[in-house]
Amino acid sequence: SSVGWWAPSCLLPMGAEIARQSGGGLLRPSRKHPSPSAPLHAMRAPLAISVLLCGLLASLRPVHGGESALVNEDVRRSIDLGTHLAKITAELTLANGGPSATSSFLLALEPSLENHLAYIGVTLKNNDEEESSLNLEETVVRGQSGRFFNVRLASSLAAGAKVKLAIETTFTHVLRPFPTHIAQAEKQYVVFEGSHYFYSPYPTKSQTTRVKLASKNIESYTKLGNPSKSEDSIDYGPFKDIAAYSQDTLRLHYENNSPFLAIVSMTRLIEVSHWGNIAVEETIDLKHCGAVLKGPFSRYDYQRQPDSGISSVKSFKTILPAAAQDVYYRDDIGNISTSHLVVLDDSVEMEVRPRFPLFGGWKTHYVIGYNLPSYEYLYNFGDQYALKMRFMDHVFDDQVIDDLTVKLILPEGARNIHLDTPYRIDRQADELHYTYLDTFGRPVITAHKSNLVEQHIQDIVIHYTFNKVLMLQEPLLVVGAFYILFFTVIIYVRLDFSITKDPAAEARMKVASITEQVLTLVNKRLGLYRHFEEAVNKYKQSRDIGTLNSGRKTLETEHRGLSSDIASLQSKLKAEGSDLAEKVAEIQKLDCQVKDLALKASQEAERLVAGKVKKDAYIENDKHLSSKRQDLVSRIDTILDTL
């Protein structure tokens, strides 16, 4: 669709410049930083200001109607009132009847609708059926009411030449419910008031108007020129030789049960992360702007009768980006489970079903959020980044957003931020947002705009500079935090912060240290028996007496050393006056028995290999010795547990 003008701006501030972008003429204030060489140009400042003032006055000078010889030769106007919006399109042939060429023409809006304008666009139709958008600039016409736009042609229109144009306008909140209050079982009727004639600063030779309604039930309509009615449409005209600025009230009262939904307030939060994710969250306040429900609401009648609450809204479809994932839909109560999500090839379709049907005057509040992969929207060249995302998304068909606030949270350290927008927005003062592991805050770009429709679903581009080294900031913060924590614990455990010494505490700590050494030595000594048992098993298989002797020698040598160390620690415990010395002595006695049983088991193995004892007798004796040895080890383990 063609892109045109959205925001009114009749006057420009001092130092403003006209910024023409693809899609429309946008007025944007210029913000120029002072140059270091400004003193060298001090003599040129008065001249520059004079030139600037002349340009401003030229762009805003009042235009007198009737000065141009342009004529609307043929106008075919279509008014679509099938929804809660008024979509008016006009296809016209503009002829230059003057002696000289012209490069622009005036476009006017009728006074009764000018305050409800949401979108206006002008398209030039070429001979080869190609279309191109034209730029618009708002201007004023002295002595005439309404809003006027100066439209620049792609090329000058020569004297006697003609050009075909298509003008598209969308108006919001122009359909008034009448009656304003209806019962649940009643149908909704609305009133539209406009003009029969195409409101223009130029005379019109011939004009026709077709009005498309939402239903064939029409209470009343104006009958200028004996219009023809067929089903849900009314044709007016043709009207001949209409003077400039002609108006005649067009009034229609008809049935319209379309969903009169309007987003009263919407906050769109976009949080960008260079770690691969873009989080989007939309907080929406929705209102049904149709006829207010009169009387009580009956859930029984609503479900039983199909035409009960025919103008109410049960659900609507929201279109999310194709890459949307982790979608959630909730309100102040919690998650709303009545929604449905369908993943398509080019989008994600979400059926939003509020907790209750919306009747006229009813409101609801909800939050929709999802995640997007950043590689589809974020581009960079070195430290230069560009984020390209939609300023708004599709919430429901024929949507109207009365008030929209978009907040873009960029990564911490982003600077030199610049916005490219397809239409004028109100950028507010930047803020800072703090979240996990942030130090000096993330920049927040806040933009605001009112009265938006589907034509405003376009991309904005945010340019900024970001040093990639800053991506290491958060991991280093985590590492540093753990390092400080562990270092603090080490210092706290190893240092004594008490003012006076506690002999009893020191004695307990010393006994605990000795006991820990005893436990280590006893467990190591018990391990010797396991190794010796493995050596005996190898001897029985290989019949190599050297293997057995080596294992016995290792047991004797290491057992002697460990027993000596344990005895030394036992003496220290006894010197400290601890009763644990007696338990250590008991362990020593039990260990001697375990050793004797281990040696006896090796002797039985020698007798088996030498053939001095039968295998059955050996197995029985070995089982008996193992049982006694296991019992002794269990008793030792019990004492160790008490230690």
Side-chain angles (χ1 to χ4, degrees), residues 78-184:
S78 175
I79 303 177
D80 185 0
L81 303 178
T83 63
H84 63 298
L85 300 174
K87 303 175 183 178
I88 303 178
T89 59
E91 296 183 357
L92 60 92
T93 301
L94 186 65
N96 185 5
S100 60
T102 181
S103 60
S104 64
F105 67 94
L106 282 178
L107 183 62
L109 293 180
E110 50 194 273
S112 60
L113 300 177
E114 60 175 310
N115 294 328
H116 301 277
L117 176 67
Y119 168 79
I120 181 172
V122 180
T123 303
L124 175 65
K125 292 187 174 183
N126 300 322
N127 295 330
D128 52 0
E129 299 301 328
E130 292 184 358
E131 298 182 355
S132 59
S133 301
L134 301 180
N135 294 332
L136 296 87
E137 297 174 7
E138 189 163 4
T139 184
V140 294
V141 174
R142 183 181 301 170
Q144 296 295 336
S145 58
R147 290 173 60 183
F148 295 87
F149 298 90
N150 187 29
V151 184
R152 294 284 180 179
L153 294 171
S155 59
S156 298
L157 184 63
K162 301 177 183 179
V163 65
K164 292 183 178 181
L165 304 169
I167 302 171
E168 180 184 0
T169 53
T170 302
F171 300 92
T172 61
H173 302 294
V174 294
L175 301 182
R176 296 182 294 103
F178 188 79
T180 58
H181 294 69
I182 59 174
Q184 181 174 332

Side-chain angles (χ1 to χ4, degrees), residues 26-40:
L26 310 180
L27 301 183
R28 177 182 302 167
S30 64
R31 301 177 181 176
K32 299 189 181 296
H33 299 280
S35 171
S37 60
L40 299 178

Side-chain angles (χ1 to χ4, degrees), residues 74 176 202 212 250 272 278 280 282 302 305 308 315 374 425 434 445 540 629:
D74 181 42
R176 296 182 294 103
Y202 312 118
K212 176 71 174 177
L250 167 67
V272 182
I278 298 176
V280 181
E282 297 176 350
Y302 189 76
Q305 301 175 1
S308 177
S315 64
S374 61
I425 62 173
Y434 293 91
I445 312 303
K540 289 188 293 183
R629 187 168 67 249

Side-chain angles (χ1 to χ4, degrees), residues 172-209:
T172 61
H173 302 294
V174 294
L175 301 182
R176 296 182 294 103
F178 188 79
T180 58
H181 294 69
I182 59 174
Q184 181 174 332
E186 294 179 338
K187 297 179 180 179
Q188 178 176 264
Y189 286 82
V190 298
V191 173
F192 171 77
E193 292 184 352
S195 176
H196 288 99
Y197 301 134
F198 175 63
Y199 189 71
S200 174
Y202 312 118
T204 302
K205 289 185 177 181
S206 176
Q207 177 207 322
T208 59
T209 299

